Amino acid sequence: MATKKDAKGPSMFETFQEFKETKNIDRTTLVSVLEESFRNVLAKMFGSDENFDVIVNPDKGDFEIHRNRIVVDNGDVKDENKEIELKEAQKIEPDYEVGEEVSEPVDFTKFGRRAILNLRQTLASKILELDHEVLYQKYKDKVGTIVSGEVYQMWKREVLLMDDEGNELHLPKNEQIPADNYRKGETVRAIVKEVQNENSNPRIILSRTSPDFLRRLLEAEVPEINDGLIAIRRVARMPGERAKVAVESFDDRIDPVGACVGVKGSRVHGIVRELQNENIDVINYSSNTQLFIQRALSPAKVTSITLDSEKHKAEVYLQPEEVSLAIGKGGMNIKLASMLTEFTIDVFRVVPEGADADEDIYLDEFSDEVDQWVIDSIKAIGLDTAKAVLNAPREMLIEKADLEEETVDHLLEVLKAEFE
């Protein structure tokens, strides 16, 4: 039996056991790595490891190394690693004869301290590589699922979490909900967004702002989704503010919106709290694009829609009192509707009958009263005439043309004056 300790430190095998116990490397891999590490040292020391038996028993925490040599006549040894003189063999067992195989236990500590230290370093490096690979594969399979971690450290650009096994999970600032406030030691839930593996060093990136985080929370809360009776078709989020979810039922008896929301919102209450009071609108999905856009703009009531399917653009016409509802506070409703439907949505007021009696005027005619760059900015969003601008919502002009409120208000005053 090989001695497991040298005179100046813990055994190499104990070092290995530390990795085994903390990193959950499977038994087969453990044996393979340890045997390979021993054989690398043996090959360097003796020129070959072919005639060595390495027996590893991680359950008992020990190992054995035996060197096998053939007995030859005295003075006929050509390879000291693979052959042994008869007289030397008979010192081990008196009845050995020429041609027989001698198996001797090898005391690993006799290789010297440097060899043992090199072996430990090699082993530690191999175990670390294996641990990284195991971690990478584990979390690669978890991409898109929710995990929990304990807050370990907080920095300006990210929060570091630890899972149950002590693995590091990274939650960058841009993946945090703006109202999130973390305290060391608390448990945080997030979705695994991606697993980077630069230089074989896994970096697990989490997200609480991903639409898939809301999707998974709903799947966990609504049994009908897990049962396959309801499908989540689309999710759009403005994290911590508002979200829209399009759902579809495969059972005519089930109202998908009602099932997801629950009685008095019971099924989304917990999700809303998790997402820092993010307001969640659930609507019925439709493969009819016009109907889907109409539902996505809820609570506004749409009068008519003109689609350009090739360019994924929609012109939506509403009564004047519905325009502000369609756009929403800070343009939030129309932004989410565009994200959900994957159409660029332009909102227009319905022009009352007789309003076209007056002749329209091209914007370029106002260049003496309005700066040309302002006119060009408005034309760039598809509005060429005075009435087109007047029928468009003020908020849309500010946001889409990227103009200051004062600039837009001045433009509207000039255009209105022309028709008074």
Side-chain angles (χ1 to χ4, degrees):
M1 179 72 67
T3 303
K4 293 193 297 179
K5 295 189 178 183
D6 63 29
K8 297 185 179 180
S11 75
M12 179 280 308
F13 196 80
E14 287 171 355
T15 302
F16 183 86
Q17 281 296 88
E18 291 177 11
F19 282 97
K20 170 66 172 69
E21 291 164 6
T22 58
K23 301 302 182 181
N24 284 328
I25 295 171
D26 65 88
R27 185 182 186 282
T28 302
T29 304
L30 181 150
V31 172
S32 175
V33 169
L34 185 54
E35 182 177 332
E36 182 186 352
S37 298
F38 274 119
R39 289 192 173 277
N40 285 342
V41 173
L42 293 171
K44 289 179 181 178
M45 297 295 293
F46 297 99
S48 172
D49 67 312
E50 295 175 1
N51 56 315
F52 286 85
D53 293 328
V54 179
I55 303 169
V56 178
N57 191 336
D59 297 330
K60 292 183 179 180
D62 63 11
F63 59 89
E64 297 178 21
I65 301 175
H66 292 266
R67 179 164 64 162
N68 305 310
R69 292 189 286 179
I70 302 298
V71 179
V72 298
D73 285 325
N74 296 328
D76 286 350
V77 174
K78 295 178 180 178
D79 185 341
E80 291 185 356
N81 180 39
K82 297 182 179 180
E83 297 173 338
I84 183 173
E85 286 186 328
L86 179 60
K87 62 181 181 181
E88 294 298 325
Q90 289 177 342
K91 289 179 183 178
I92 300 171
E93 290 288 344
D95 55 354
Y96 270 128
E97 296 180 1
V98 173
E100 290 187 326
E101 185 177 72
V102 176
S103 182
E104 305 169 86
V106 175
D107 185 349
F108 198 76
T109 60
K110 290 184 178 179
F111 293 168
R113 180 172 174 77
R114 179 172 294 181
I116 294 173
L117 288 175
N118 287 339
L119 182 60
R120 287 179 185 158
Q121 291 171 358
T122 301
L123 182 59
S125 177
K126 286 181 179 292
I127 295 301
L128 189 59
E129 288 177 13
L130 283 169
D131 178 54
H132 284 171
E133 179 62 23
V134 169
L135 180 61
Y136 175 72
Q137 292 300 333
K138 173 184 177 180
Y139 274 95
K140 186 180 178 184
D141 293 339
K142 287 188 175 184
V143 170
T145 63
I146 292 177
V147 297
S148 297
E150 184 177 298
V151 176
Y152 181 74
Q153 190 64 270
M154 293 162 287
W155 296 295
K156 186 175 181 180
R157 294 186 178 181
E158 72 173 20
V159 172
L160 179 65
L161 310 176
M162 291 288 187
D163 69 7
D164 292 339
E165 296 175 356
N167 297 309
E168 295 183 352
L169 312 174
H170 300 266
L171 181 59
K173 186 69 176 177
N174 63 334
E175 301 295 343
Q176 299 170 23
I177 296 171
D180 278 341
N181 186 23
Y182 304 103
R183 293 185 301 274
K184 190 170 183 177
E186 74 174 340
T187 299
V188 174
R189 288 199 295 171
I191 197 168
V192 180
K193 181 180 180 182
E194 65 174 316
V195 183
Q196 301 168 352
N197 200 29
E198 188 175 345
N199 298 322
S200 298
N201 188 19
R203 181 179 171 86
I204 301 146
I205 307 298
L206 305 184
S207 175
R208 286 174 51 80
T209 61
S210 167
D212 284 335
F213 185 44
L214 173 53
R215 184 188 295 271
R216 297 293 175 252
L217 290 171
L218 281 168
E219 289 173 353
E221 193 66 36
V222 182
E224 291 86 346
I225 297 176
N226 258 335
D227 294 341
L229 300 174
I230 294 175
I232 300 174
R233 292 301 189 191
R234 303 271 180 86
V235 178
R237 290 182 66 194
M238 298 186 72
E241 297 288 342
R242 190 171 176 184
K244 286 183 182 284
V245 182
V247 294
E248 183 178 20
S249 174
F250 298 116
D251 187 331
D252 293 339
R253 297 169 297 177
I254 297 176
D255 169 23
V257 174
C260 290
V261 174
V263 179
K264 296 183 179 180
S266 58
R267 286 182 170 177
V268 296
H269 277 165
I271 298 174
V272 169
R273 286 194 299 271
E274 176 73 53
L275 302 181
Q276 302 295 349
N277 295 320
E278 190 170 306
N279 187 13
I280 302 172
D281 299 335
V282 184
I283 67 169
N284 280 302
Y285 174 79
S286 175
S287 56
N288 181 319
T289 304
Q290 289 196 359
L291 180 57
F292 188 34
I293 292 174
Q294 181 178 326
R295 289 172 176 173
L297 285 169
S298 176
K301 295 178 181 178
V302 176
T303 300
S304 63
I305 299 176
T306 302
L307 292 179
D308 185 339
S309 298
E310 287 187 5
K311 295 182 179 179
H312 272 244
K313 288 186 176 182
E315 292 183 354
V316 178
Y317 296 87
L318 308 99
Q319 295 299 327
E321 64 273 15
E322 298 292 327
V323 171
S324 60
L325 288 175
I327 293 172
K329 184 179 178 181
M332 195 176 298
N333 195 58
I334 194 169
K335 284 179 184 176
L336 284 170
S338 293
M339 291 163 63
L340 193 73
T341 61
E342 298 176 354
F343 267 71
T344 300
I345 300 174
D346 292 325
V347 173
F348 298 93
R349 295 180 178 86
V350 174
V351 180
E353 289 185 17
D356 287 334
D358 296 324
E359 197 174 309
D360 204 351
I361 304 172
Y362 284 106
L363 288 181
D364 289 325
E365 298 294 323
F366 295 90
S367 59
D368 56 337
E369 298 177 80
V370 180
D371 291 337
Q372 187 61 45
W373 67 269
V374 176
I375 293 174
D376 292 340
S377 297
I378 296 295
K379 287 168 66 177
I381 63 172
L383 305 177
D384 297 322
T385 67
K387 286 187 177 179
V389 174
L390 291 172
N391 287 332
R394 174 179 175 273
E395 294 86 350
M396 189 184 83
L397 297 175
I398 294 169
E399 181 186 337
K400 289 204 167 189
D402 195 22
L403 296 172
E404 296 290 337
E405 292 186 22
E406 294 81 0
T407 304
V408 170
D409 289 339
H410 172 66
L411 172 65
L412 293 175
E413 286 177 12
V414 171
L415 299 184
K416 284 177 184 176
E418 185 66 29
F419 295 100
E420 289 176 354

